[in-house]
Amino acid sequence: MISFLDLKSINQACRDELIEACTRVIDSGWYIGGSELQQFESSYAEYCGTKHCIGVANGLDALVLVIRAWKELGYLREGDEILVPSNTYIASILAISENGLVPVLVEPDPATFNICPISAEAAITAKTKAILPVHLYGRLADMPAIMALAERSGLLVLEDSAQSHGANVNGRKAGGWGHASGFSFYPGKNLGALGDAGAVTTNDDMLASTLRALRNYGSHEKYKNLYRGMNSRLDEIQAAMLSVKLKYLDEQTIHRRKIADLYTNNIQHPAITLPVVSQFNPLENSSHVWHVYTVLCQDRDALQNHLLANNIQTLIHYPIPPHQQQAYSELARYSLPVSEKIHREILSLPMGPGLLLEEARAVVAACNSFQSDMT
């Protein structure tokens, strides 16, 4: 079976270093808020090109805490609207509603699956105070256009960079475009911990200071609470694991791009629509780090079954759009044909630094041998 993503093989490649880092933390006797966290925060801020990185417990908390901090600082208040892509994972929307703000769903660009800046501008109202672009599937959203829109309209920009570690445009990486960015280091991400973990990056000193308190019960100093905070801390062991794995991220991204190129250049089935390589510059692929490689197929379920019969595991990101989830029944009023088509037809092929080129060629062969009733 060709796995969709083999985490064991990924971690096996740096196993000795991970064990050494874990042992170092165990032997230190310091497990929360110590030197390992400081080291990772410093390294990841430098990697993203930002002044600050604030480690938190997970990617959802990263988004929640930024919006919470903006409320504490008086930039946002309950009832304000935040524009968010309609085809994102539900976490992006949960972060908004968790803070008592209103998610306004915006259709994506059908070529890139990322939020369409033109549609976003059309959705702005007097209550719109922020935009939350999601760099979906590893492709950087059109941040030059989004930042220009935000400047014209006086909006805050919170990047959801959970799937885009290292993606960049013109040398500026995900996490370094908006006023803040939330990252997830869930094990299956391009930079994955060995458990839940997350971080916020920002150049805003006041926001960074507020976030450091909010993640720690609202406190900079023990037993002195400035805010009604929460417990959302990146622990020492996960920080140490991430410091090890960060060293290999760019090398692994190069391999992901080789796999993506192999798929793009060789899958030639008329029923399978391949992703656009780059929406910014067709001569370079730096805007995409291929967290997943997604295709569209009207006969998606049949294609998935065909690949499974050929011992190839695939996943669907995501089968149900947020506005059709029971948790957000109030969003059912939206008519979102582009998003609904994506969710109905999308399929993610095997992708990852542990995927062998010969395995990727087997995926290509299986895709090209697919017999669809819709062609």
Side-chain angles (χ1 to χ4, degrees):
M1 175 68 75
I2 297 175
S3 299
F4 175 77
L5 177 65
D6 186 354
L7 292 178
K8 185 176 179 179
S9 71
I10 293 172
N11 293 322
Q12 187 69 30
C14 55
R15 182 177 184 273
D16 290 344
E17 291 178 80
L18 292 172
I19 291 174
E20 179 184 350
C22 186
T23 301
R24 184 174 65 246
V25 174
I26 292 170
D27 291 347
S28 75
W30 194 293
Y31 309 120
I32 297 289
S35 60
E36 299 290 348
L37 174 64
Q38 293 172 9
Q39 176 59 50
F40 174 70
E41 288 180 333
S42 176
S43 297
Y44 199 63
E46 181 179 1
Y47 180 81
C48 293
T50 59
K51 290 175 65 176
H52 304 283
C53 169
I54 302 94
V56 297
N58 55 69
L60 174 57
D61 281 3
L63 299 176
V64 169
L65 285 168
V66 171
I67 298 173
R68 177 90 168 270
W70 280 340
K71 289 176 66 180
E72 293 286 357
L73 293 168
Y75 303 154
L76 297 174
R77 60 183 181 182
E78 291 194 12
D80 285 344
E81 296 176 350
I82 297 183
L83 307 182
V84 62
S86 53
N87 61 315
T88 186
Y89 183 57
I90 199 169
S92 310
I93 297 172
L94 286 169
I96 299 170
S97 60
E98 175 70 15
N99 281 289
L101 278 73
V102 179
V104 175
L105 305 186
V106 178
E107 285 270 58
D109 180 334
T112 67
F113 302 155
N114 279 328
I115 192 169
C116 174
I118 296 173
S119 298
E121 186 163 19
I124 294 174
T125 72
K127 293 183 177 181
T128 306
K129 302 301 179 185
I131 181 169
L132 201 162
V134 181
H135 306 316
L136 203 58
Y137 308 138
R139 181 197 302 273
L140 203 69
D142 189 350
M143 293 309 296
I146 289 169
M147 295 309 297
L149 170 61
E151 185 173 352
R152 290 195 306 271
S153 305
L155 304 180
L156 294 165
V157 177
L158 170 55
E159 299 174 71
D160 184 338
S161 301
Q163 300 182 4
S164 60
H165 314 75
N168 78 86
V169 170
N170 299 327
R172 192 170 175 182
K173 289 180 180 173
W177 283 88
H179 300 99
S181 176
F183 284 90
S184 168
F185 304 122
Y186 181 78
K189 303 299 185 184
N190 290 35
L191 178 60
L194 273 67
D196 273 324
V200 175
T201 56
T202 184
N203 290 314
D204 186 330
D205 295 341
M206 183 60 72
L207 176 62
S209 178
T210 306
L211 286 166
R212 289 192 174 99
L214 284 173
R215 73 176 176 182
N216 186 43
Y217 301 100
S219 173
H220 288 297
E221 183 179 347
K222 195 169 185 178
Y223 302 129
K224 292 185 178 180
N225 303 84
L226 298 175
Y227 313 106
R228 298 179 184 181
M230 58 192 290
N231 177 7
S232 180
R233 297 175 297 205
L234 176 58
D235 65 64
E236 287 288 278
I237 283 184
Q238 294 302 345
M241 301 295 101
L242 288 166
S243 289
V244 170
K245 298 184 74 175
L246 179 59
K247 296 185 296 183
Y248 300 99
L249 177 57
D250 288 343
E251 177 184 337
Q252 291 175 350
T253 298
I254 290 171
H255 185 75
R256 287 176 181 271
R257 287 176 175 153
K258 288 180 180 178
I259 297 295
D261 286 346
L262 194 154
Y263 285 160
T264 300
N265 294 330
N266 293 283
I267 296 176
Q268 299 178 343
H269 197 291
I272 301 174
T273 301
L274 304 180
V276 175
V277 172
S278 175
Q279 76 269 43
F280 298 115
N281 184 346
L283 300 179
E284 56 96 10
N285 194 22
S286 62
S287 67
H288 211 317
V289 294
W290 301 103
H291 172 58
V292 291
Y293 188 98
T294 56
V295 301
L296 296 179
C297 180
Q298 290 185 23
D299 205 4
R300 189 264 310 281
D301 293 345
L303 174 59
Q304 186 174 41
N305 289 333
H306 168 76
L307 293 174
L308 183 60
N310 283 270
N311 294 312
I312 297 169
Q313 182 186 33
T314 60
L315 294 179
I316 299 173
H317 295 89
Y318 305 97
I320 305 173
H323 72 286
Q324 293 180 346
Q325 297 282 0
Q326 181 176 337
Y328 282 105
S329 57
E330 70 273 19
L331 299 179
R333 68 183 187 279
Y334 277 92
S335 174
L336 300 165
V338 175
S339 290
E340 290 167 14
K341 172 181 170 62
I342 291 171
H343 287 269
R344 187 170 58 246
E345 298 183 5
I346 201 159
L347 187 67
S348 299
L349 303 182
M351 171 59 72
L355 186 68
L356 303 176
L357 291 178
E358 52 263 38
E359 292 177 319
R361 293 188 186 99
V363 174
V364 169
C367 285
N368 288 337
S369 68
F370 173 55
Q371 295 184 5
S372 172
D373 294 334
M374 297 187 179
T375 56

